[in-house]
Amino acid sequence: MSGLAMPKPDAETLRRRAEIVADMRIIVPGEGVVDTANEMRAFESDGLTAYRQLPLVVVLPETVAQVSRVLKYCNERNIRVVPRGSGTSLSGGALPLEDAVLLVMSRFNRILGIDYPNRIVVAQPGVTNLGITTAVEQEGFYYAPDPSSQIACSIGGNVAENSGGVHCLKYGLTANNVLGIEMVLMNGEVLRLGGSHLDQEGYDLLGVMTGSEGLLGVVTEVTVRILKKPETARALLIGFPTSEQGGQCVA
Ligand SMILES: Cc1cc2nc3c(=O)[nH]c(=O)nc-3n(C[C@H](O)[C@H](O)[C@H](O)COP(=O)(O)OP(=O)(O)OC[C@H]3O[C@@H](n4cnc5c(N)ncnc54)[C@H](O)[C@@H]3O)c2cc1C
């Protein structure tokens, strides 16, 4: 890697790699641990492909208990952890570190609940942004924040990056459409912020988490609000004498 000063890898962690990999296999049995260079190559970069780095090991948990145990294990041994959703970040947020466990959330890929009367979807963090709209569109609903990467990016990654797209001019970013999350702290503690309604009392910790780029914890469940699709949508071609008048029309 060149051009980017990365933190110096911890020699003790590198030396204990085999032991750490073996322990990860105990916590996440089956095919949830990837440790060969060839297989880890798929995870060496995110959307910022100028930078590449193989992680210490790739771990793909399937349950919240596994996420909690991985984080607790790493916390107790001072091992770095980089969470990853779909790896479409353009800012290197999911870029691995040589001495870090790359915690990939893509197996958390289920919609957990849809509540049409209250316009709410509860999803695991690895569900794609578009996957939420796909789950509700037959009932005439959609999820408004629409990053251009929506076919691939995960809702957990959207929370971590506070993502948005063209709909955000009217409906806001992820922060304005996420109602609650379940997350795991680095010490393994599982907690819930927000819920199925707007504006919980107390400090806006959900707001702190939204856009925190995986630095404060790992999101394991996301509750979002969905909107009713407009009954019709038509493209219009309108001429304006000045740009200002065009802008006022949009406003
Ligand atoms: C072609 C293209 C177009 C794009 N267009 C847009 C756009 O229009 N608008 C926009 O906002 N962005 C856009 N992006 C950027 C990117 O898609 C978004 O930032 C997206 O939200 C990242 O989601 P992801 O699942 O890929 O996350 P990743 O890239 O895997 O991770 C991004 C960050 O989130 C953290 N993270 C991921 N999952 C979790 C989790 N479960 N818990 C805690 N932290 C987590 C990671 O540690 C990292 O810091 C685009 C990217 C591409 C490649």
Side-chain angles (χ1 to χ4, degrees):
M1 183 180 314
S2 63
L4 182 68
M6 300 299 284
K8 200 171 172 306
D10 179 51
E12 176 61 11
T13 303
L14 297 182
R15 193 186 61 72
R16 287 173 38 220
R17 178 170 187 265
E19 176 196 330
I20 295 166
V21 170
D23 289 340
M24 288 297 126
R25 286 197 201 287
I26 294 169
I27 299 174
V28 183
E31 298 186 344
V33 176
V34 175
D35 69 322
T36 65
N38 264 352
E39 288 175 305
M40 293 199 300
R41 195 69 66 195
F43 302 95
E44 69 178 354
S45 168
D46 60 10
L48 188 66
T49 53
Y51 299 101
R52 292 162 196 270
Q53 172 64 57
L54 289 181
L56 186 73
V57 57
V58 177
V59 179
L60 298 102
E62 256 181 322
T63 67
V64 179
Q66 289 173 354
V67 174
S68 169
R69 284 185 67 195
V70 170
L71 293 184
K72 189 166 187 294
Y73 175 96
C74 291
N75 191 38
E76 284 166 357
R77 290 158 186 80
N78 218 14
I79 301 166
R80 296 180 171 118
V81 177
V82 177
R84 179 184 173 104
S86 304
T88 67
S89 162
L90 297 171
S91 54
L95 181 68
L97 294 170
E98 190 183 348
D99 60 350
V101 170
L102 187 70
L103 193 69
V104 182
M105 298 301 288
S106 53
R107 292 166 101 190
F108 279 73
N109 57 5
R110 287 185 302 123
I111 299 278
L112 299 174
I114 302 175
D115 177 352
Y116 288 114
N118 291 306
R119 303 189 173 189
I120 288 166
V121 171
V122 182
Q124 289 189 315
V127 172
T128 62
N129 171 294
L130 191 61
I132 295 181
T133 291
T134 305
V136 297
E137 66 187 352
Q138 74 281 3
E139 296 293 329
F141 287 88
Y142 74 110
Y143 176 60
D146 52 351
S148 313
S149 54
Q150 65 177 165
I151 193 169
C153 66
S154 72
I155 192 69
N158 287 181
V159 171
E161 297 278 4
N162 192 17
S163 292
V166 288
H167 274 119
C168 294
L169 294 172
K170 183 165 183 192
Y171 298 110
L173 294 154
T174 302
N176 309 102
N177 292 271
V178 64
L179 298 172
I181 57 169
E182 177 191 73
M183 62 177 281
V184 187
L185 297 176
M186 194 64 201
N187 65 3
E189 189 185 340
V190 182
L191 56 97
R192 285 185 171 271
L193 303 177
S196 54
H197 56 87
L198 281 172
D199 291 340
Q200 297 261 329
E201 62 183 22
Y203 293 116
D204 183 13
L205 297 178
L206 181 58
V208 173
M209 266 305 287
T210 311
S212 63
E213 298 198 333
L215 294 174
L216 303 178
V218 176
V219 177
T220 48
E221 187 189 290
V222 184
T223 302
V224 295
R225 69 178 172 144
I226 48 171
L227 300 176
K228 195 86 182 138
K229 266 189 179 171
E231 283 174 19
T232 55
R234 299 241 179 115
L236 295 180
L237 178 64
I238 309 175
F240 293 96
T242 66
S243 315
E244 285 73 21
Q245 281 171 288
Q248 279 160 12
C249 175
V250 172

